[in-house]
């Protein structure tokens, strides 16, 4: 297969764009997609201080790499979730990459300060990933606010967003569906959040990482095994192979149409917002999700375990 | 009886046949020898791996699904799908 733009051999075929690209033209394509994402959603300004959430995986390191290439002012944030060997290795990758870019990496040691994700999930009787999500979101926001960053950037890609949308629709979680967006604007107590890779698939990101020799952790978090998001991703990839462009269409048409479809819901949502009594984070109840979670820890420390 | 000459001719011919032997480093790191078709796409299908869920690498080079392999090639399949909910 030849590059669509020159005569060189292609490194990737992109049926959804009816294209194939050589190394140089693929990198150009990739950069264009990220620029377009940033511009169309007014994600970032050149003067912004950007906090990039890095896990040591391909998406977050690629995000950091490309924002750095574009000349943005970036700092990395790594959260140690205490997931055994996986956490140790992923921190090593994040640190090595920060060194390569010659950028600062802020490390929050959640496991040391509180406990590991698995233990916390057990106390709270929640799934590992939803517990992990609350913790990560909380620290992304808190560090950004405390250290005066303008925006928080995460490595979410098209597969992540399409799989999440599919999951939300399959369960008709309309409130979650309408909240889904490549950018969440600044609100009081909540820093702006952006996903500059949302136009790119996992395969495209892995290709960019490969071509730029980005040394990421290939190993997956052990808790990700068997999660429904993997099932949805696989289903979408299966459909995509049979009918190229479907994944793209599914998510991009959603973004296009949701303004009209969910207009009335948006109005209802405003106004119910209050602030967490302990930490000040905007939330819907007395305490925010993070404080409710970590509250289980203090309770479990006070009351002796009944099952002991 | 197979003479040395026959063997040499045989090797040359296998260059043009559809079925060859290749080594595949699977997404989980395990290595598998497979005797099969020469096209990357067909090998992936044989392994029941969706072509949009891996990168295929031979000698530091990325291969698109239409590429043909040579007997004795080693290809590595790098998984691209990450799990998790966030
Ligand atoms: S797979 Fe789940 S537990 Fe592991 S890092 Fe991702 S969200 Fe957290
Ligand atoms: Zn080209
Ligand atoms: Zn709180």
């Amino acid at each position: 297969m030849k590059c669509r733009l020159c005569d060189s051999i292609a490194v990737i075929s992109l049926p959804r764009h009816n294209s194939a690209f050589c190394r140089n033209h693929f990198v150009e394509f990739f950069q264009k997609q990220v620029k377009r994402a940033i511009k169309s959603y007014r994600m970032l300004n050149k003067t912004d201080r950007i906090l990039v959430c890095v896990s040591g995986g391909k998406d977050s390191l690629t995000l950091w790499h490309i924002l750095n290439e574009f000349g943005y002012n970036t700092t990395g944030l790594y959260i140690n979730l205490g997931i055994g060997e996986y956490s140790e290795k992923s921190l090593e990758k994040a640190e090595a990459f920060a060194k390569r870019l010659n950028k600062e990496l802020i490390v929050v040691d959640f496991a040391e300060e509180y406990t590991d994700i698995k233990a916390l999930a057990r106390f709270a009787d929640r799934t590992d990933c939803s517990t992990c999500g609350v913790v990560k979101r909380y620290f992304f926001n808190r560090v950004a606010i405390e250290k005066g960053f303008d925006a928080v950037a995460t490595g979410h890609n098209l597969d992540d967003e399409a799989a999440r949308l599919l999951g939300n629709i399959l369960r008709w979680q309309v409130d979650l569906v309408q909240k889904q967006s490549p950018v969440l604007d600044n609100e009081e107590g909540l820093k702006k959040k952006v996903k500059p890779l949302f136009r790119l698939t996992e395969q495209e990101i892995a290709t960019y990482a490969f071509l730029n020799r980005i040394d990421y952790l290939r190993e997956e978090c052990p808790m990700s095994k068997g999660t429904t998001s993997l099932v949805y991703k696989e289903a979408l990839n299966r459909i995509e192979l049979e009918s190229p462009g479907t994944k793209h269409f599914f998510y991009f048409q959603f973004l296009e149409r949701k303004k009209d479809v969910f207009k009335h819901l948006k109005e209802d949502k405003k106004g119910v917002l209050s602030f967490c009594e302990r930490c000040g984070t905007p939330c819907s109840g007395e305490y925010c999700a993070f404080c409710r979670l970590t509250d289980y820890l203090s309770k479990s420390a006070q009351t002796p375990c009944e099952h002991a | 009886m197979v003479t040395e000459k026959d063997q040499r001719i045989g090797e040359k011919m296998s260059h043009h046949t559809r079925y060859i032997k290749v080594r595949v480093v699977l997404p989980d790191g395990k290595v598998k020898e497979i005797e099969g078709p020469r096209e990357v796409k067909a090998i992936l299908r044989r392994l029941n791996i969706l072509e949009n869920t891996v990168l295929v690498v031979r000698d530091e080079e990325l291969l698109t699904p239409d590429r043909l392999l040579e007997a004795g090639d080693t290809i590595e399949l790098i998984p691209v799908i990450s799990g998790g909910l966030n």
Side-chain angles (χ1 to χ4, degrees):
Chain A
M1 199 177 283
K2 295 249 170 92
C3 172
R4 204 191 60 178
L5 300 173
C6 69
D7 238 7
S8 316
I9 291 180
V11 294
I12 186 169
S13 93
L14 301 175
R16 78 189 166 106
H17 291 292
N18 237 322
S19 263
F21 291 123
C22 68
R23 180 196 183 95
N24 291 342
H25 284 122
F26 172 71
V27 172
E28 217 168 79
F29 158 85
F30 194 93
Q31 291 173 337
K32 253 190 224 155
Q33 293 299 322
V34 179
K35 279 188 184 150
R36 192 166 161 195
I38 292 174
K39 204 173 156 201
S40 61
Y41 280 87
R42 292 197 196 87
M43 289 182 178
L44 306 167
N45 289 315
K46 277 284 159 160
T47 51
D48 281 350
R49 286 184 63 227
I50 302 156
L51 187 64
V52 183
C53 306
V54 295
S55 66
K58 71 175 192 313
D59 302 306
S60 58
L61 294 190
T62 292
L63 174 65
W64 204 2
H65 183 275
I66 195 157
L67 290 181
N68 189 57
E69 291 274 294
F70 287 165
Y72 285 105
N73 180 351
T74 59
T75 300
L77 169 63
Y78 176 89
I79 298 165
N80 176 21
L81 302 159
I83 310 176
E85 214 179 295
Y86 167 78
S87 284
E88 283 163 31
K89 286 191 204 161
S90 58
L91 176 58
E92 272 170 32
K93 295 289 183 195
E95 279 175 333
F97 198 70
K99 214 174 247 171
R100 169 173 161 187
L101 296 184
N102 200 12
K103 292 282 167 188
E104 187 197 349
L105 178 72
I106 299 170
V107 178
V108 171
D109 202 336
F110 171 79
E112 174 72 34
E113 248 178 83
Y114 295 86
T115 182
D116 63 279
I117 287 298
K118 231 184 167 43
L120 183 57
R122 223 170 10 210
F123 281 130
D125 197 19
R126 290 178 67 141
T127 66
D128 297 333
C129 289
S130 75
T131 306
C132 183
V134 169
V135 169
K136 285 195 282 200
R137 277 193 295 276
Y138 179 76
F139 282 104
F140 293 167
N141 191 55
R142 186 167 122 186
V143 172
I145 287 180
E146 279 179 3
K147 303 209 181 232
F149 286 92
D150 297 295
V152 175
T154 57
H156 292 95
N157 56 50
L158 178 55
D159 293 68
D160 293 329
E161 297 304 300
R164 183 196 299 253
L165 179 60
L166 179 60
N168 287 340
I169 289 178
L170 288 175
R171 290 186 291 271
W172 285 114
Q173 289 174 302
V174 180
D175 52 327
L176 295 182
V177 172
Q178 63 120 4
K179 268 195 233 156
Q180 230 186 300
S181 170
V183 57
L184 297 172
D185 277 320
N186 247 331
E187 280 173 52
E188 193 185 347
L190 286 178
K191 246 326 137 187
K192 181 175 187 176
K193 272 201 218 119
V194 299
K195 302 170 180 173
L197 301 183
F198 84 93
R199 303 186 60 86
L200 294 151
T201 65
E202 300 208 271
Q203 194 177 39
E204 289 154 12
I205 293 167
T207 299
Y208 180 92
F210 179 88
L211 296 174
N212 287 285
R213 297 185 182 279
I214 294 172
D215 183 18
Y216 63 90
L217 186 65
R218 274 199 216 165
E219 194 182 311
E220 282 299 315
C221 171
M223 266 104 101
S224 74
K225 280 207 184 85
T227 51
T228 48
S229 67
L230 280 178
V231 178
Y232 300 149
K233 279 184 179 180
E234 156 128 10
L236 285 167
N237 279 329
R238 228 169 245 287
I239 297 169
E240 181 68 21
L241 273 185
E242 293 301 323
S243 164
T246 303
K247 201 194 289 171
H248 185 112
F249 187 86
F250 176 55
Y251 186 60
F252 284 63
Q253 281 299 303
F254 157 71
L255 292 178
E256 189 89 336
R257 291 172 193 213
K258 79 169 192 172
K259 284 180 227 100
D260 299 329
V261 177
F262 296 111
K263 235 190 318 199
H264 57 292
L265 277 169
K266 216 165 198 161
E267 303 302 320
D268 297 348
K269 276 268 149 179
K270 292 247 155 129
V272 290
L273 218 61
S274 60
F275 296 89
C276 173
E277 292 198 1
R278 188 170 303 158
C279 72
T281 301
C283 58
S284 47
E286 211 173 328
Y287 296 106
C288 74
F290 179 81
C291 288
R292 266 181 278 142
L293 258 184
T294 44
D295 205 35
Y296 286 104
L297 289 178
S298 44
K299 279 195 190 125
S300 71
Q302 283 160 13
T303 41
C305 180
E306 296 162 29
H307 310 290
Chain B
M1 196 183 104
V2 184
T3 65
E4 227 177 278
K5 198 177 161 201
D6 284 343
Q7 219 170 9
R8 268 206 309 276
I9 291 170
E11 270 168 27
K12 257 198 186 144
M13 280 174 63
S14 77
H15 218 72
H16 302 280
T17 52
R18 286 185 59 229
Y19 287 93
I20 53 164
K21 227 186 217 169
V22 291
R23 278 179 78 232
V24 184
V25 183
L26 298 168
D28 63 5
K30 287 189 188 116
V31 182
K32 198 171 182 177
E33 289 244 345
I34 61 171
E35 195 165 347
R38 301 185 55 195
E39 205 185 19
V40 169
K41 193 195 217 35
I43 290 182
L44 293 178
R45 203 175 298 136
R46 161 91 65 103
L47 290 167
N48 214 353
I49 290 172
L50 303 177
E51 59 187 71
N52 48 11
T53 63
V54 289
L55 301 185
V56 181
V57 180
R58 180 182 61 188
D59 297 331
E60 299 275 298
E61 187 196 4
L62 289 174
L63 305 181
T64 48
D66 60 310
R67 296 287 292 274
L68 299 180
L69 302 176
E70 301 294 334
D73 275 355
T74 296
I75 55 170
E76 187 184 0
L77 307 182
I78 302 176
V80 305
I81 306 301
S82 354
L85 249 183
N86 306 289

